[in-house]
């Protein structure tokens, strides 16, 4: 099965660059579109929902530091970014909205190793997994 649109869900943390490169590898292998979605913590008080970053209409005053930093990181992907999406609000709802809106068929995100007890009782990704409308690829990352 060839994927047509790969979406990377990523936070701007120490693992972000690694995850961008791994998602780009998947997109290249499938000759698929590559999009990135991340949370913009500076925006959550002003707006809830999914927004797109368009470099052609870039205005530094409108975008927070996390969006600007992610745009710089994405330039290193060595693969064209179809959509750079950022969101505020509940993670599960916003990712699923983006998957449906942009017809994503593979979601890529990092996963920290944790105990089975933690995964069963406290995993933030568990509700997302139950409702996911596309395939998932977990990339193991360091804590």
């Amino acid at each position: 099965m060839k994927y047509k649109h790969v979406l990377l869900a990523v936070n701007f943390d120490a693992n972000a660059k690694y995850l961008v490169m791994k998602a780009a590898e998947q997109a290249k292998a499938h000759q698929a579109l590559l999009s990135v979605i991340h949370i913009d913590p500076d925006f959550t008080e002003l707006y809830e929902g999914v927004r797109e970053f368009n470099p052609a209409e870039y205005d530094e005053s409108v975008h927070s530091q996390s969006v600007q930093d992610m745009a710089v990181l994405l330039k290193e992907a060595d693969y064209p970014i179809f959509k750079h999406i950022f969101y505020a609000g509940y993670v599960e709802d916003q990712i699923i909205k983006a998957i449906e809106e942009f017809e994503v068929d593979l979601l890529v995100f990092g996963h920290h190793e944790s105990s089975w007890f933690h995964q069963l009782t406290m995993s933030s990704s568990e509700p997302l997994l139950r409702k996911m409308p596309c395939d998932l690829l977990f990339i193991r990352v360091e804590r």
Side-chain angles (χ1 to χ4, degrees):
M1 174 180 180
K2 285 190 88 108
Y3 293 107
K4 297 176 186 166
H5 194 171
V6 175
L7 176 65
L8 170 64
V10 65
N11 290 329
F12 196 73
D13 63 11
N15 300 304
K17 184 174 183 175
Y18 175 72
L19 291 170
V20 168
M21 298 309 154
K22 295 298 275 185
E25 287 174 12
Q26 286 297 313
K28 282 180 193 177
H30 293 278
Q31 298 174 335
L33 298 173
L34 174 61
S35 295
V36 176
I37 185 169
H38 79 279
I39 191 166
D40 184 4
D42 299 332
F43 215 55
T44 55
E45 306 229 348
L46 303 172
Y47 177 79
E48 183 174 312
V50 175
R51 301 213 35 199
E52 182 180 349
F53 174 78
N54 184 348
E57 299 172 6
Y58 179 67
D59 178 2
E60 188 172 317
S61 65
V62 175
H63 296 290
S64 72
Q65 190 63 47
S66 72
V67 174
Q68 295 172 40
D69 291 345
M70 187 59 72
V72 170
L73 177 65
L74 294 178
K75 288 181 183 177
E76 298 179 28
D78 193 32
Y79 196 81
I81 303 300
F82 178 65
K83 299 280 183 191
H84 174 183
I85 308 156
F86 59 98
Y87 66 90
Y90 292 105
V91 174
E92 298 87 8
D93 295 339
Q94 301 309 326
I95 290 176
I96 289 173
K97 281 182 190 176
I99 287 168
E100 292 169 349
E101 181 178 344
F102 299 112
E103 299 178 354
V104 169
D105 51 359
L106 177 64
L107 174 66
V108 177
F109 58 99
H111 178 65
H112 299 278
E113 184 179 343
S114 60
S115 73
W116 65 271
F117 179 76
H118 179 267
Q119 290 179 11
L120 288 174
T121 60
M122 303 169 85
S123 173
S124 61
S125 59
E126 195 275 332
L128 180 62
L129 298 175
R130 278 189 275 129
K131 297 189 274 184
M132 189 51 52
C134 69
D135 290 349
L136 302 166
L137 175 61
F138 290 95
I139 305 293
R140 185 169 181 249
V141 295
E142 299 297 320
R143 286 185 206 218

